[in-house]
Amino acid sequence: MPGISTAGLSGVEETSLITLHARALDARSDDPILGDPYAEKAAQALDYDWQRLQPTPRLEEKERLNVSVRAVHFDRWVRRFIAHHPDAIVLDLGCGLDSRGYRIDPPPGVDWYDVDLPAIMAIRAKLYDETDRIHTLALSLNEDGWLEALPADRPVVVVMDGLYPWMTVPTFIRLLRRTTAHFERGEILLLGFSRLSSRMMRKVVPAIKAIGAPVNEGFDDPHDVERWNSDLRLVERQRFIDSPEVAKMPRGEQIRCRIMRLIPGVARMDKGMLRFTFGRA
């Protein structure tokens, strides 16, 4: 039986397959960090040449750990927000082929919106069933009008897991400002991304060159986001190297994280997962 076609995806759209592959690797590992129950089935359902990502065991392991650790933390923050705001709206922007909404399974009263480009959402529709609480929006985040269709008076948590690297800075800043202007209160969860990480990604991740995805320049100070949008307040930062999940990593990665913590210049590369609040959240 033929798999779901992935033909014709742009470079940016194809990045969603890199992270899906990483979650599938984690799911089939002996000691998974995220343990996404949907990832392996979704990856197997696609008609895609995974060798196009030019995998090597070392790069696959690093990508597995990076994607899984940040997913664990973003899931945790979303669950906490929902627990405090049972009438919440969740926006998973640039959701790709992630199953976050299904992993978390939002309770009645919460409306979840998975948002990504039309080609990705067409594939998602064949992988995941839309429910009465999980909705899909197929659009470019550059478009006007879609935010205004959502209720502004409910608390919102906006997940931007890996979104920033694939947007230009002006476009990303505009998205932040439009979001805080529309909703009265909420949180924005953002993956930090340094300038050095940006340069290294272009050079040492063959998949990025293979699929032709442009990479943003990154930012070196998490407070830059507050300067881009004065409505935002940085309230929590979880560095990858300080994550409790380091204890579940292979011995070599545990040692590497320990060494990174001891070298200030190297540790500064790890911007971590960032949680911002705005309004009365």
Side-chain angles (χ1 to χ4, degrees), residues 165-181:
W166 317 115
M167 301 183 78
T168 65
V169 174
T171 301
F172 185 76
I173 292 174
R174 180 171 180 265
L175 177 62
L176 288 178
R177 292 175 178 173
R178 289 172 60 206
T179 301
T180 60

Side-chain angles (χ1 to χ4, degrees), residues 192-199 217-220 268-269 271:
F193 187 63
S194 71
R195 287 183 173 87
L196 182 56
S197 295
S198 172
R199 292 194 294 271
E217 65 186 32
F219 57 91
D220 287 332
R268 281 195 294 272
M269 285 179 57
K271 301 307 171 189

Side-chain angles (χ1 to χ4, degrees), residues 7-61:
L9 294 180
S10 69
V12 169
E13 291 164 340
E14 209 169 344
T15 61
S16 64
L17 301 178
I18 298 175
T19 49
L20 174 62
H21 181 58
R23 289 190 298 274
L25 288 172
D26 181 69
R28 71 173 79 118
S29 68
D30 293 334
D31 191 15
I33 289 174
L34 177 64
D36 183 343
Y38 300 89
E40 178 72 0
K41 183 178 178 181
Q44 290 182 354
L46 301 181
D47 180 12
Y48 185 73
D49 178 12
W50 297 104
Q51 291 303 309
R52 178 169 161 75
L53 303 181
Q54 301 183 34
T56 66
R58 183 171 180 272
L59 282 174
E60 285 191 320
E61 182 66 358

Side-chain angles (χ1 to χ4, degrees), residues 22-232:
R23 289 190 298 274
L25 288 172
D26 181 69
R28 71 173 79 118
S29 68
D30 293 334
D31 191 15
I33 289 174
L34 177 64
D36 183 343
Y38 300 89
E40 178 72 0
K41 183 178 178 181
Q44 290 182 354
L46 301 181
D47 180 12
Y48 185 73
D49 178 12
W50 297 104
Q51 291 303 309
R52 178 169 161 75
L53 303 181
Q54 301 183 34
T56 66
R58 183 171 180 272
L59 282 174
E60 285 191 320
E61 182 66 358
K62 290 179 76 66
E63 191 65 24
R64 174 183 84 87
L65 297 174
N66 181 284
V67 169
S68 298
V69 167
R70 74 196 203 208
V72 164
H73 285 284
F74 284 132
D75 285 6
R76 185 176 296 144
W77 282 341
V78 172
R79 287 191 178 98
R80 186 170 66 188
F81 189 89
I82 289 173
H84 291 147
H85 303 282
D87 61 337
I89 290 176
V90 183
L91 295 182
D92 196 345
L93 302 186
C95 61
L97 301 177
D98 196 353
S99 67
R100 179 172 285 111
Y102 298 86
R103 292 196 301 268
I104 291 177
D105 188 21
V110 171
D111 281 303
W112 187 294
Y113 293 88
D114 284 324
V115 188
D116 212 317
L117 295 165
I120 291 298
M121 299 312 287
I123 296 174
R124 277 190 72 90
K126 298 174 183 178
L127 295 174
Y128 306 111
D129 295 325
E130 192 164 352
T131 74
D132 59 348
R133 296 192 294 278
I134 300 179
H135 321 289
T136 58
L137 295 175
L139 49 85
S140 167
L141 294 172
N142 299 336
E143 292 179 23
D144 293 323
W146 67 273
L147 271 173
E148 287 68 27
L150 304 178
D153 59 348
R154 291 168 59 184
V156 66
V157 57
V158 183
V159 185
M160 298 181 176
D161 179 1
L163 176 65
Y164 175 81
W166 317 115
M167 301 183 78
T168 65
V169 174
T171 301
F172 185 76
I173 292 174
R174 180 171 180 265
L175 177 62
L176 288 178
R177 292 175 178 173
R178 289 172 60 206
T179 301
T180 60
H182 176 70
F183 293 102
E184 293 179 358
R185 62 200 190 282
E187 294 184 357
I188 290 180
L189 314 180
L190 172 63
L191 180 66
F193 187 63
S194 71
R195 287 183 173 87
L196 182 56
S197 295
S198 172
R199 292 194 294 271
M200 290 182 65
M201 183 184 290
R202 295 187 187 103
K203 292 179 180 179
V204 305
V205 182
I208 300 301
K209 183 180 291 186
I211 65 180
V215 182
N216 198 348
E217 65 186 32
F219 57 91
D220 287 332
D221 183 354
H223 293 284
D224 281 347
V225 181
E226 294 172 322
R227 288 185 275 273
W228 294 339
N229 184 339
S230 60
D231 291 332
L232 293 172

